[in-house]
């Protein structure tokens, strides 16, 4: 009984990973064949370097060669003893020296043929296989490197060669069986084979999966296992659908359909060699070798699920050929596809309206123009005679494939797909159902894809598939909008949270000038650098790696990536409602420190909440009221516990709190205000604080929680800026502060004489919101407030006579950033 074990590139990152792969291989029953990918990122690096060299930048490929040499040597020196290292190190040096030499040739020729590109890429797999073979031998197994071209035979199509099944069957048996008989474990580089003339050709990106199934087929293996960086084949790409689940078992036809329609987890043709074979294929987690993963086999399980999984192809364009003259004219469809075939354009989805008035089909966006040109040429006569109106191209589309064998014979599956999309306000551009009834495909705008996937995933309850726990993907990806004082305080906190094991990482930072984005996470060091640059007044667009863009373009660019559980954090003080709604639409949760979106027009605030509901996203905004204090959180906890909040009273301005407690101690107004300014407790123009506007916004946000239907203008607002000082230029106002001292002194004294102290208080109920100066009893909790502390009192059904009180520091970048961090972590954790 032979078993094939493939170790994917995503799993083979470093020496530890190689050692782990070897331990998995060793733990298998005898008669094992190991197939390996290149180490993580190596194929990309080789291809990128080769392209740059051919564009005249030979340096890039030489640097690639040098760094790959180090990387491979590092694994060897860590895992092998000195005498065993020699031969492998020589292989590495030779492969990289040759690459270095090729760099020069490419930059002179300025041409990279698919043949040469394959020759270059092949060394990634060849080196990793040599290394794994040596480490496996060192671990006590008898292992031997067997080159890919000795095992796999292909046609001549370099870059994406098709395997010759019969030829491969013969070559694989001839090269591998003798070793297995001698109890030797062959280690084979995946991804490559030999053309009829004996040259090395690659079989398409991700091709090691296919190498493994080809070998499994040839040797009639009892099982083939693909060890990957995911727990198995999932119901959807975990980077898009956060509650995606491992599918315990799927039929090969379902798996093939998923792979073909873009599920990156399997090479699209990996299952073809297994047609008519009964060899089961397993996708199992490299990180957890005891977990079962997914079995791909012909058994029928999970029959309650008509739909088992979703996948998607992005960067598609829809081409439509329309015209009245097409009616009943035979051969239009045939000519259309012949013309495309001639240009090598691959068509993935076709629909024809029954009126025969139009034919539409999707092609990769990169071929859209070629498709249009070839069709316009092919139908030149018909277009001239107006029998065909036009060939139209619509781009920025994606195809969502909904896959499951159980659709066959289950009525209404398509209807459920469409109503799930319609409920989410997602427009369907085109649809098609395969005749096999295995797949329903819907073409949607690329920007709607993530939401579409989540909707359909939810509709078919795929997060419950097979019992067990939903998969939580590794990270929550954070995008910061606004990189001022709070953003810069928050960035290092996020860096530390990540070090402490929280699964958050910052992937993007946006300011007015543009953005910085890295889908793999911006390192703590780089964030600190960006913060420094910003503190010195630089714009993000001008920093290293920064891109100039409007805020909405920046968001659009970032949301085109499949982020993991993205969280969009608004740290500005702008009107961002439209932008925030786009972020929700792109599947992001929101954290707001910005008060404006929720304290602007009621209709806008409601629209924002409504968008969050339709897209099933969450909005946390704790710091819009009391910086780091858990005020909104408390409100929701009370409501969840079925208490009813009647009113909320609060001193929610640190600035005014400081000022009034100073005045209460007998200090002069002018002096107190200047101290507040010195300590950085005020806005640049302290009248912005004194006007009460900031408190009014906070009060409005609280009021709206309670159901207050009014606008900012409906709030009774008492400004502390005397009428005559409102229009003065700032400098004039500041120079005349003493004029107001007597008035304040008198106010404070009269309050004191009545056993009261002055506080600036917001009083909020469902019906009205008041904000202004109050003389409160000196026994009231508000009287005891000190400095910039905030305090909020909830009067509820249960806390009737003795309100529930929350007190603490309510202003300043550090506590605000900490509050924002709390919200982010809360979203990331659930
Ligand atoms: P390998 O290391 O074997 O080459 P890949 O990187 O090719 O592995 O495939 C695994 C990746 O595929 C995962 O990291 C995951 O992000 C992605 N993926 C996309 N769709 C799915 C899905 N439905 N199930 C599992 N993984 C998926
Ligand atoms: N190394 C190749 C790639 O990155 C093949 C593979 O990993 O399967 O596409
Ligand atoms: Mg792969």
């Amino acid at each position: 009984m032979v078993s094939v074990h493939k170790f994917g590139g995503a799993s083979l990152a470093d020496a530890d990973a190689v050692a782990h792969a070897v331990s998995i291989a060793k733990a298998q029953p005898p008669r094992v064949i190991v197939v390996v990918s290149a180490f993580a990122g190596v194929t990309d690096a080789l291809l990128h370097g080769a392209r740059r060299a051919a564009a005249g930048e030979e340096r890039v490929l030489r640097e690639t060669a040098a760094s790959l040499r180090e990387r491979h040597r590092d694994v060897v020196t860590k895992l092998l003893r000195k005498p065993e290292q020699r031969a492998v190190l020589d292989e590495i040096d030779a492969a990289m020296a040759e690459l270095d030499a090729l760099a020069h040739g490419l930059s002179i020729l300025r041409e990279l043929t698919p043949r040469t590109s394959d020759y270059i890429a092949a060394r990634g797999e060849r080196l990793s296989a040599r290394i794994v073979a040596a480490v496996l031998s060192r671990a006590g197994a008898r292992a031997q490197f067997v080159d890919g071209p000795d095992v796999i035979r292909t046609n001549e199509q370099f870059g994406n060669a098709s395997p010759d099944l019969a030829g491969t069957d013969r070559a694989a048996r001839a090269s591998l069986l003798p070793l297995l008989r001698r109890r030797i474990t062959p280690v084979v580089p995946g991804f490559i084979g030999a053309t009829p003339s004996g040259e090395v050709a690659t079989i398409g990106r991700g091709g090691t999966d296919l190498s493994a199934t080809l070998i499994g087929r040839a040797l009639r293996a009892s099982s083939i296992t693909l060890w990957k960086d995911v727990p198995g084949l999932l119901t959807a790409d975990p980077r898009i659908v956060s509650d995606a689940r491992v599918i315990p078992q799927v039929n090969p036809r379902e798996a093939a359909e998923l792979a073909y329609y873009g599920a990156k987890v399997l090479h699209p043709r990996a299952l073809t060699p297994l047609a008519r074979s009964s060899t089961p294929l397993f996708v199992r987690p490299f990180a957890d070798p005891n977990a079962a993963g997914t079995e791909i086999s012909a058994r029928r399980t999970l029959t309650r699920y008509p739909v088992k999984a979703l996948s998607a192809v992005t960067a598609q364009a829809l081409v439509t050929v329309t015209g009245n003259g097409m009616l009943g004219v035979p051969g239009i469809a045939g000519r259309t596809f012949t013309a495309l075939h001639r240009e090598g354009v691959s068509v993935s989805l076709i629909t024809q309206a029954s009126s025969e008035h139009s034919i539409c089909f999707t092609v990769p966006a990169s071929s859209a123009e070629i498709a249009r040109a070839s069709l316009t040429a092919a139908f030149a006569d018909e277009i001239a005679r107006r029998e065909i109106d036009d060939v139209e191209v619509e781009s920025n589309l994606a195809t969502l494939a909904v896959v499951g064998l159980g659709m066959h014979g289950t009525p209404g599956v398509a209807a459920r797909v469409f109503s799930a999309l319609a409920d989410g306000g997602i427009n369907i551009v085109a649809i098609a159902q395969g005749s096999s009834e295995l797949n329903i495909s819907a073409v949607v705008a690329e920007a709607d894809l993530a939401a579409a996937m989540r909707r359909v995933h939810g509709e078919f309850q795929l997060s419950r598939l097979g019992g067990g726990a939903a998969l939580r993907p590794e990270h929550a990806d954070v995008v910061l909008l606004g990189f001022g004082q709070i953003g810069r305080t928050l960035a290092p906190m996020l860096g530390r949270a990540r070090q402490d094991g929280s699964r958050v990482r910052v992937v993007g930072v946006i300011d007015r000038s543009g953005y910085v984005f890295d889908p793999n996470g911006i390192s703590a060091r780089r964030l600190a650098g960006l913060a420094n640059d910003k503190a010195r007044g630089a714009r993000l667009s001008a920093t290293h790696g920064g891109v100039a863009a409007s805020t909405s373009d920046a968001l659009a660019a970032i949301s085109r990536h499949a982020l993991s559980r993205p969280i969009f954090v608004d740290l500005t003080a702008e009107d961002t409602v439209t932008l925030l709604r786009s972020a929700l639409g792109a599947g992001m949760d929101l954290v707001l420190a910005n008060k404006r979106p929720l304290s602007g027009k009621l209709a806008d605030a409601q629209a924002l909440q409504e968008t969050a509901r339709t897209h099933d996203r969450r909005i946390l905004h704790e710091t819009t009221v009391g910086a780091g204090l858990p005020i909104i959180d408390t409100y929701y906890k009370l409501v969840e516990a079925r208490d009813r909040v009647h009113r909320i009273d609060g001193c929610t301005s640190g600035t005014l709190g400081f000022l009034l407690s100073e005045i209460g101690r007998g200090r002069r107004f002018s002096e107190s205000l200047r101290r507040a300014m010195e300590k950085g407790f005020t806005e640049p123009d302290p009248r912005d604080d004194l006007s009460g506007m900031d408190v009014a916004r906070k009060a409005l946000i609280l009021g709206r929680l309670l159901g207050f239907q009014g606008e900012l203008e409906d709030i009774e607002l008492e400004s502390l800026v005397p009428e005559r000082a409102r229009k003065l230029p700032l400098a004039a106002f500041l120079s005349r502060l003493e004029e107001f001292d007597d008035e304040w002194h008198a106010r404070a004294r009269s309050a004191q004489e009545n056993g009261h102290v002055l506080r600036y208080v917001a009083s909020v109920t469902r019906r009205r919101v008041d904000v202004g100066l109050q003389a409160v009893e000196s026994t009231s909790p508000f009287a005891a407030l000190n400095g910039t502390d905030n305090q909020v009192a909830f009067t509820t059904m249960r806390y009737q006579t003795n309100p529930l009180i929350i007190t603490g520091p309510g202003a300043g970048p550090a506590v605000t950033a900490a509050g924002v961090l709390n919200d982010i972590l809360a979203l990331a954790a659930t």
Side-chain angles (χ1 to χ4, degrees), residues 197-208:
S197 54
E199 284 171 288
V200 59
T202 65
I203 53 179
R205 293 306 307 268
T208 305

mmCIF file with all atom_site columns, all heavy atoms in Angstrom, residues 197-208:
data_model
loop_
_atom_site.group_PDB
_atom_site.id
_atom_site.type_symbol
_atom_site.label_atom_id
_atom_site.label_alt_id
_atom_site.label_comp_id
_atom_site.label_asym_id
_atom_site.label_entity_id
_atom_site.label_seq_id
_atom_site.pdbx_PDB_ins_code
_atom_site.Cartn_x
_atom_site.Cartn_y
_atom_site.Cartn_z
_atom_site.occupancy
_atom_site.B_iso_or_equiv
_atom_site.pdbx_formal_charge
_atom_site.auth_seq_id
_atom_site.auth_comp_id
_atom_site.auth_asym_id
_atom_site.auth_atom_id
_atom_site.pdbx_PDB_model_num
ATOM 1  N N   . SER A 1 197 ? 10.589 16.451 -25.574 1.00 0.00 ? 197 SER A N   1
ATOM 2  C CA  . SER A 1 197 ? 12.000 16.566 -25.930 1.00 0.00 ? 197 SER A CA  1
ATOM 3  C C   . SER A 1 197 ? 12.904 16.604 -24.708 1.00 0.00 ? 197 SER A C   1
ATOM 4  O O   . SER A 1 197 ? 14.089 16.920 -24.806 1.00 0.00 ? 197 SER A O   1
ATOM 5  C CB  . SER A 1 197 ? 12.216 17.801 -26.804 1.00 0.00 ? 197 SER A CB  1
ATOM 6  O OG  . SER A 1 197 ? 11.690 18.921 -26.139 1.00 0.00 ? 197 SER A OG  1
ATOM 7  N N   . GLY A 1 198 ? 12.318 16.317 -23.549 1.00 0.00 ? 198 GLY A N   1
ATOM 8  C CA  . GLY A 1 198 ? 13.161 16.154 -22.369 1.00 0.00 ? 198 GLY A CA  1
ATOM 9  C C   . GLY A 1 198 ? 13.473 17.437 -21.624 1.00 0.00 ? 198 GLY A C   1
ATOM 10 O O   . GLY A 1 198 ? 14.290 17.445 -20.696 1.00 0.00 ? 198 GLY A O   1
ATOM 11 N N   . GLU A 1 199 ? 12.812 18.543 -21.998 1.00 0.00 ? 199 GLU A N   1
ATOM 12 C CA  . GLU A 1 199 ? 13.075 19.777 -21.262 1.00 0.00 ? 199 GLU A CA  1
ATOM 13 C C   . GLU A 1 199 ? 12.146 19.877 -20.066 1.00 0.00 ? 199 GLU A C   1
ATOM 14 O O   . GLU A 1 199 ? 11.071 19.287 -20.046 1.00 0.00 ? 199 GLU A O   1
ATOM 15 C CB  . GLU A 1 199 ? 12.852 20.971 -22.184 1.00 0.00 ? 199 GLU A CB  1
ATOM 16 C CG  . GLU A 1 199 ? 13.997 21.150 -23.154 1.00 0.00 ? 199 GLU A CG  1
ATOM 17 C CD  . GLU A 1 199 ? 13.645 22.188 -24.186 1.00 0.00 ? 199 GLU A CD  1
ATOM 18 O OE1 . GLU A 1 199 ? 12.812 21.883 -25.053 1.00 0.00 ? 199 GLU A OE1 1
ATOM 19 O OE2 . GLU A 1 199 ? 14.179 23.289 -24.094 1.00 0.00 ? 199 GLU A OE2 1
ATOM 20 N N   . VAL A 1 200 ? 12.561 20.696 -19.072 1.00 0.00 ? 200 VAL A N   1
ATOM 21 C CA  . VAL A 1 200 ? 11.717 20.826 -17.894 1.00 0.00 ? 200 VAL A CA  1
ATOM 22 C C   . VAL A 1 200 ? 10.614 21.862 -18.149 1.00 0.00 ? 200 VAL A C   1
ATOM 23 O O   . VAL A 1 200 ? 10.874 22.929 -18.711 1.00 0.00 ? 200 VAL A O   1
ATOM 24 C CB  . VAL A 1 200 ? 12.556 21.169 -16.636 1.00 0.00 ? 200 VAL A CB  1
ATOM 25 C CG1 . VAL A 1 200 ? 13.322 22.453 -16.808 1.00 0.00 ? 200 VAL A CG1 1
ATOM 26 C CG2 . VAL A 1 200 ? 11.672 21.256 -15.400 1.00 0.00 ? 200 VAL A CG2 1
ATOM 27 N N   . ALA A 1 201 ? 9.391  21.486 -17.794 1.00 0.00 ? 201 ALA A N   1
ATOM 28 C CA  . ALA A 1 201 ? 8.257  22.408 -17.951 1.00 0.00 ? 201 ALA A CA  1
ATOM 29 C C   . ALA A 1 201 ? 7.458  22.413 -16.659 1.00 0.00 ? 201 ALA A C   1
ATOM 30 O O   . ALA A 1 201 ? 7.378  21.398 -15.971 1.00 0.00 ? 201 ALA A O   1
ATOM 31 C CB  . ALA A 1 201 ? 7.360  21.949 -19.100 1.00 0.00 ? 201 ALA A CB  1
ATOM 32 N N   . THR A 1 202 ? 6.864  23.556 -16.314 1.00 0.00 ? 202 THR A N   1
ATOM 33 C CA  . THR A 1 202 ? 6.027  23.604 -15.107 1.00 0.00 ? 202 THR A CA  1
ATOM 34 C C   . THR A 1 202 ? 4.562  23.392 -15.497 1.00 0.00 ? 202 THR A C   1
ATOM 35 O O   . THR A 1 202 ? 4.161  23.686 -16.624 1.00 0.00 ? 202 THR A O   1
ATOM 36 C CB  . THR A 1 202 ? 6.165  24.942 -14.363 1.00 0.00 ? 202 THR A CB  1
ATOM 37 O OG1 . THR A 1 202 ? 5.659  25.986 -15.192 1.00 0.00 ? 202 THR A OG1 1
ATOM 38 C CG2 . THR A 1 202 ? 7.612  25.239 -14.014 1.00 0.00 ? 202 THR A CG2 1
ATOM 39 N N   . ILE A 1 203 ? 3.801  22.895 -14.545 1.00 0.00 ? 203 ILE A N   1
ATOM 40 C CA  . ILE A 1 203 ? 2.415  22.521 -14.860 1.00 0.00 ? 203 ILE A CA  1
ATOM 41 C C   . ILE A 1 203 ? 1.408  23.498 -14.263 1.00 0.00 ? 203 ILE A C   1
ATOM 42 O O   . ILE A 1 203 ? 0.278  23.132 -13.963 1.00 0.00 ? 203 ILE A O   1
ATOM 43 C CB  . ILE A 1 203 ? 2.124  21.078 -14.401 1.00 0.00 ? 203 ILE A CB  1
ATOM 44 C CG1 . ILE A 1 203 ? 2.498  20.902 -12.921 1.00 0.00 ? 203 ILE A CG1 1
ATOM 45 C CG2 . ILE A 1 203 ? 2.902  20.085 -15.246 1.00 0.00 ? 203 ILE A CG2 1
ATOM 46 C CD1 . ILE A 1 203 ? 2.214  19.493 -12.401 1.00 0.00 ? 203 ILE A CD1 1
ATOM 47 N N   . GLY A 1 204 ? 1.793  24.762 -14.124 1.00 0.00 ? 204 GLY A N   1
ATOM 48 C CA  . GLY A 1 204 ? 0.858  25.785 -13.640 1.00 0.00 ? 204 GLY A CA  1
ATOM 49 C C   . GLY A 1 204 ? 1.059  26.044 -12.167 1.00 0.00 ? 204 GLY A C   1
ATOM 50 O O   . GLY A 1 204 ? 1.439  25.140 -11.412 1.00 0.00 ? 204 GLY A O   1
ATOM 51 N N   . ARG A 1 205 ? 0.793  27.307 -11.765 1.00 0.00 ? 205 ARG A N   1
ATOM 52 C CA  . ARG A 1 205 ? 1.004  27.685 -10.365 1.00 0.00 ? 205 ARG A CA  1
ATOM 53 C C   . ARG A 1 205 ? 0.196  26.778 -9.445  1.00 0.00 ? 205 ARG A C   1
ATOM 54 O O   . ARG A 1 205 ? -0.940 26.425 -9.742  1.00 0.00 ? 205 ARG A O   1
ATOM 55 C CB  . ARG A 1 205 ? 0.607  29.150 -10.148 1.00 0.00 ? 205 ARG A CB  1
ATOM 56 C CG  . ARG A 1 205 ? 1.484  30.159 -10.862 1.00 0.00 ? 205 ARG A CG  1
ATOM 57 C CD  . ARG A 1 205 ? 2.963  30.010 -10.549 1.00 0.00 ? 205 ARG A CD  1
ATOM 58 N NE  . ARG A 1 205 ? 3.277  30.009 -9.136  1.00 0.00 ? 205 ARG A NE  1
ATOM 59 C CZ  . ARG A 1 205 ? 3.586  31.105 -8.428  1.00 0.00 ? 205 ARG A CZ  1
ATOM 60 N NH1 . ARG A 1 205 ? 3.609  32.280 -9.023  1.00 0.00 ? 205 ARG A NH1 1
ATOM 61 N NH2 . ARG A 1 205 ? 3.877  31.027 -7.153  1.00 0.00 ? 205 ARG A NH2 1
ATOM 62 N N   . GLY A 1 206 ? 0.809  26.441 -8.356  1.00 0.00 ? 206 GLY A N   1
ATOM 63 C CA  . GLY A 1 206 ? 0.145  25.533 -7.422  1.00 0.00 ? 206 GLY A CA  1
ATOM 64 C C   . GLY A 1 206 ? 0.198  24.087 -7.893  1.00 0.00 ? 206 GLY A C   1
ATOM 65 O O   . GLY A 1 206 ? -0.486 23.210 -7.363  1.00 0.00 ? 206 GLY A O   1
ATOM 66 N N   . GLY A 1 207 ? 1.030  23.807 -8.899  1.00 0.00 ? 207 GLY A N   1
ATOM 67 C CA  . GLY A 1 207 ? 1.000  22.521 -9.587  1.00 0.00 ? 207 GLY A CA  1
ATOM 68 C C   . GLY A 1 207 ? 1.463  21.325 -8.778  1.00 0.00 ? 207 GLY A C   1
ATOM 69 O O   . GLY A 1 207 ? 1.267  20.180 -9.200  1.00 0.00 ? 207 GLY A O   1
ATOM 70 N N   . THR A 1 208 ? 2.059  21.546 -7.623  1.00 0.00 ? 208 THR A N   1
ATOM 71 C CA  . THR A 1 208 ? 2.512  20.410 -6.829  1.00 0.00 ? 208 THR A CA  1
ATOM 72 C C   . THR A 1 208 ? 1.336  19.529 -6.391  1.00 0.00 ? 208 THR A C   1
ATOM 73 O O   . THR A 1 208 ? 1.470  18.313 -6.242  1.00 0.00 ? 208 THR A O   1
ATOM 74 C CB  . THR A 1 208 ? 3.329  20.896 -5.623  1.00 0.00 ? 208 THR A CB  1
ATOM 75 O OG1 . THR A 1 208 ? 4.379  21.705 -6.134  1.00 0.00 ? 208 THR A OG1 1
ATOM 76 C CG2 . THR A 1 208 ? 3.947  19.750 -4.861  1.00 0.00 ? 208 THR A CG2 1
#
